[in-house]
Amino acid sequence: MSEKLDLLYQEFQQALCGSASRAETLDLKAGYLGSKGKLSSILKSLKDMSPEERKQVGSKSNEYKNKIEADISAKLQALDSEEISKKLEKQWVDVTLKDSNLDLGLNAAGYHPVTLVQREIEDIFSSMGFDILDGPHIEDDWHNFGALNIPSDHPARDMQDTLWFPDGVHLLRTHTSPVQVRGMESKKPPFKFIVPGKVFRAERTDASHETVFHQVEGMMVDKNITVSNLIYFMKTMLSEIFKQDVKIQLRPGFFPFVEPGFELDMYTEQLGWLELIGCGMTHPNVLRAGGIDPDKYSGFAFGMGLDRLVMMRYAINDVRLIHSADLRFISQFRSF
Ligand code: PHE
């Protein structure tokens, strides 16, 4: 009987080796350990054996029963992991594979034209003592409109086609002016800073309009700031950017956060008069919203389109190229 058990186990092992699936393995298990299984029937016949034999065969059967159980669960585990490996192999993607047509720009020879002009403007203003501030692209109603003297029912909100979030409070900033408010909140006068950055409007795009574009905001607050301070800094900046003395003129312009407000035009021989910058003297309500006493301090602010300057500088004829991420375009530019 003891040999019969040894043989039974050997036979089981062979069968297990040949089993190629979970189902087959479970069938095999039933065939040996199930109520009508081969090992079970031996266990059932124990009662007809002599006490001596019963003891021996009984313990050996139990040993094999445990072995079979362990073998089965090891086999099931092996089958599972085999299946996972097969799946993985099927879905395998070589993420390091190099697509020879795909240029990641790692070897690009230069910076993006917007970066080049932005850095130049930052250099010009830092050399005149301005700080460079940054602000969030996702703004709230108060910073983008309310604190800038644009109440919720004010028609000026229609001037900017705003991309609102569903909460009706947050939005993608429509101009860099909200950073005027953030600057006033975080600084004590006197101060002067600029804010280069992306702005967003729900506009239809064409060669001169984009939904995402760049502005450079500026603000200066001190005692006795007047329009002549504004003119001085605008003229200095433009002469530096265009590397020549430029003529400028101010025309009345309406922005709720400045009073008086102006459109600033620049004249060059090649280009004639160009409307470049919105600017003006900071409205007392705006100073107040920023925690500054308008009876003690005054200020000016300006906002200009950066993309326009970039396009003039590098003779780019379509603003949409700026966000095209086309390396043939981007890698052409050098700083001047
Ligand atoms: N924020 C205005 C715009 O986007 C520009 C501006 C800034 C005008 C500061 C005046 C003062 O059109």
Side-chain angles (χ1 to χ4, degrees):
M1 191 45 101
S2 176
E3 272 134 56
K4 204 174 158 193
L5 274 171
D6 292 341
L7 274 175
L8 194 79
Y9 184 61
Q10 271 176 28
E11 179 199 289
F12 163 78
Q13 281 184 311
Q14 266 171 22
L16 189 66
C17 235
S19 162
S21 71
R22 269 190 89 84
E24 246 180 89
T25 308
L26 291 173
D27 276 354
L28 198 59
K29 184 180 177 185
Y32 283 82
L33 304 181
S35 55
K36 289 190 184 126
K38 290 177 183 166
L39 192 66
S40 311
S41 56
I42 291 178
L43 285 169
K44 271 179 205 156
S45 65
L46 282 178
K47 61 178 186 321
D48 307 324
M49 295 177 196
S50 67
E52 191 65 8
E53 203 184 9
R54 189 184 303 156
K55 198 175 164 206
Q56 204 196 357
V57 174
S59 82
K60 200 153 192 180
S61 306
N62 263 328
E63 214 174 281
Y64 278 132
K65 183 176 173 244
N66 292 337
K67 273 191 175 169
I68 290 175
E69 266 169 356
D71 290 349
I72 293 274
S73 70
K75 176 75 180 188
L76 288 174
Q77 245 178 40
L79 284 170
D80 280 353
S81 66
E82 202 175 305
E83 193 170 332
I84 291 171
S85 322
K86 264 193 206 147
K87 266 192 196 155
L88 283 178
E89 200 153 320
K90 246 195 243 160
Q91 295 165 2
W92 184 78
V93 177
D94 183 355
V95 290
T96 66
L97 193 65
K98 188 162 163 42
D99 178 345
S100 53
N101 293 319
L102 193 71
D103 185 345
L104 296 174
L106 297 174
N107 301 314
Y111 288 100
H112 192 284
V114 170
T115 305
L116 291 173
V117 177
Q118 180 182 321
R119 287 186 178 175
E120 207 175 300
I121 292 171
E122 288 175 1
D123 283 349
I124 294 168
F125 277 100
S126 350
S127 75
M128 299 192 289
F130 283 70
D131 291 333
I132 295 156
L133 300 193
D134 202 4
H137 291 168
I138 298 176
E139 265 299 359
D140 53 58
D141 199 50
W142 169 250
H143 288 91
N144 197 82
F145 293 125
L148 291 168
N149 203 30
I150 315 174
S152 51
D153 57 350
H154 199 289
R157 290 202 179 201
D158 298 337
M159 286 166 37
Q160 297 168 337
D161 289 354
T162 306
L163 293 154
W164 288 93
F165 282 80
D167 68 4
V169 174
H170 291 92
L171 49 88
L172 291 177
R173 69 179 184 193
T174 57
H175 49 181
T176 40
S177 303
V179 192
Q180 287 187 30
V181 184
R182 294 188 180 277
M184 288 187 288
E185 283 166 353
S186 65
K187 290 173 178 295
K188 283 213 174 332
F191 56 73
K192 46 188 189 295
F193 57 79
I194 61 160
V195 187
K198 284 195 203 307
V199 300
F200 308 83
R201 292 192 197 170
E203 272 186 299
R204 204 178 270 231
T205 63
D206 61 31
S208 52
H209 295 89
E210 251 294 18
T211 48
V212 183
F213 54 101
H214 303 83
Q215 288 186 335
V216 179
E217 191 83 11
M219 186 181 215
M220 176 173 190
V221 174
D222 201 343
K223 288 183 174 141
N224 306 315
I225 295 293
T226 66
V227 177
S228 32
N229 298 102
L230 170 64
I231 293 173
Y232 168 78
F233 283 109
M234 295 301 94
K235 234 185 133 177
T236 308
M237 165 184 69
L238 292 171
S239 303
E240 294 261 348
I241 295 176
F242 289 92
K243 317 264 187 257
Q244 56 183 290
D245 246 349
V246 298
K247 254 194 272 180
I248 61 170
Q249 73 180 13
L250 297 181
R251 288 177 292 113
F254 174 67
F255 305 95
F257 32 98
V258 286
E259 177 59 37
F262 310 107
E263 300 281 358
L264 186 150
D265 306 327
M266 176 187 83
Y267 183 83
T268 60
E269 284 293 333
Q270 310 94 299
L271 303 163
W273 286 105
L274 284 173
E275 185 184 317
L276 274 188
I277 303 175
C279 55
M281 303 309 293
T282 302
H283 195 289
N285 288 350
V286 174
L287 289 172
R288 246 177 248 121
I292 294 169
D293 182 353
D295 294 328
K296 275 200 199 146
Y297 292 101
S298 55
F300 69 73
F302 66 89
M304 68 180 168
L306 183 54
D307 308 77
R308 180 94 183 275
L309 282 182
V310 173
M311 290 170 77
M312 284 163 61
R313 160 66 64 81
Y314 294 107
I316 298 166
N317 60 10
D318 191 326
V319 70
R320 291 167 294 192
L321 284 166
I322 286 181
H323 284 293
S324 65
D326 185 338
L327 288 166
R328 290 168 307 177
F329 167 74
I330 295 171
S331 54
Q332 295 176 48
F333 305 95
R334 302 288 176 280
S335 77
F336 272 47

